[in-house]
Amino acid sequence: MSKAHVCDEKQPSRWRQGGMTLLEVMVAVSIAAILLAVGVPSFMSTLRGNTLATQSNEVLAGLSLARVEALRQNRSVRWSYRAGTEPSWVVWRDQDADDVMDAGEVLREGPLSASVDVSGTASGFPHITYNPDGTLQGGSWGSIWMCMEGSAPYENVRRMVLIVSGRVRTERCACDRQCSGPSTECAASDCDDAA
């Protein structure tokens, strides 16, 4: 046997073993941390905006139902907001005229998220009464404000503007970040029509 064919087992292999060095792992973790730091707040802001849009659409659907039922039944129908640990909206007709919602008077109910703060800027809120002709009872009406706490004001506040004719318009408002009082801190110039 010649020396050229003899393999020295003590000699290190020229081929690198599979795996990553500590430096490569640290670089990969740093890049992942940067991507998370940039992406997570944007994602959370999008989630808040979507939740608020969904909730305002729910309220809009309830108000529309109350108006349609008032027209269809040719009698007054109410939309009411119920706060609490499980907030909701309710469409009902006060058949016995006692201003109390009885079980048999409920036409439809819809859940709302507890993370959304709902307030109103007109007398009568949390009750809105539609007349048999579809108009709102009580003269010129006002707004329903829906707010979620967060750092991006444009995704935080929705204003539902109700006018005497019974029509409702939804607006996005950039005026209050903590939901402490959007109805007193917002101006018409802070809002625009929601898409």
Side-chain angles (χ1 to χ4, degrees):
M1 227 192 229
S2 70
K3 285 187 172 182
H5 295 292
V6 176
C7 194
D8 188 359
E9 292 180 14
K10 295 180 182 177
Q11 224 177 18
S13 171
R14 287 191 228 170
W15 304 105
R16 182 175 172 204
Q17 298 293 321
M20 297 175 71
T21 66
L22 180 60
L23 181 61
E24 290 170 330
V25 170
M26 289 175 60
V27 168
V29 168
S30 298
I31 290 171
I34 290 168
L35 291 175
L36 282 173
V38 170
V40 169
S42 177
F43 180 70
M44 295 306 293
S45 177
T46 301
L47 279 180
R48 274 195 307 273
N50 288 341
T51 299
L52 193 53
T54 300
Q55 295 297 290
S56 62
N57 287 337
E58 282 286 322
V59 169
L60 182 61
L63 291 166
S64 297
L65 175 68
R67 186 176 189 219
V68 166
E69 286 298 316
L71 289 165
R72 189 178 71 79
Q73 297 181 24
N74 196 30
R75 61 184 309 169
S76 294
V77 174
R78 288 185 178 180
W79 176 95
S80 297
Y81 168 68
R82 292 197 295 198
T85 55
E86 294 182 11
S88 63
W89 57 263
V90 182
V91 174
W92 59 291
R93 84 180 155 259
D94 193 10
Q95 292 176 327
D96 52 9
D98 64 352
D99 284 336
V100 176
M101 186 186 333
D102 302 317
E105 297 175 335
V106 174
L107 299 173
R108 186 159 310 153
E109 185 172 359
L112 291 172
S113 172
S115 63
V116 177
D117 179 47
V118 180
S119 59
T121 56
S123 61
F125 185 84
H127 307 291
I128 299 169
T129 304
Y130 283 91
N131 296 316
D133 63 357
T135 60
L136 287 172
Q137 199 174 77
S140 65
W141 224 81
S143 302
I144 296 174
W145 296 87
M146 302 181 74
C147 184
M148 280 186 81
E149 288 196 22
S151 59
Y154 226 69
E155 284 114 18
N156 271 26
V157 180
R158 292 288 189 281
R159 175 183 176 210
M160 311 199 64
V161 182
L162 291 92
I163 56 176
V164 178
S165 69
R167 301 203 56 188
V168 183
R169 175 178 83 242
T170 303
E171 299 177 339
R172 291 178 296 206
C173 303
C175 52
D176 177 54
R177 292 172 186 248
Q178 273 72 45
C179 300
S180 58
S183 59
T184 57
E185 296 176 17
C186 286
S189 60
D190 295 322
C191 303
D192 66 5
D193 289 336

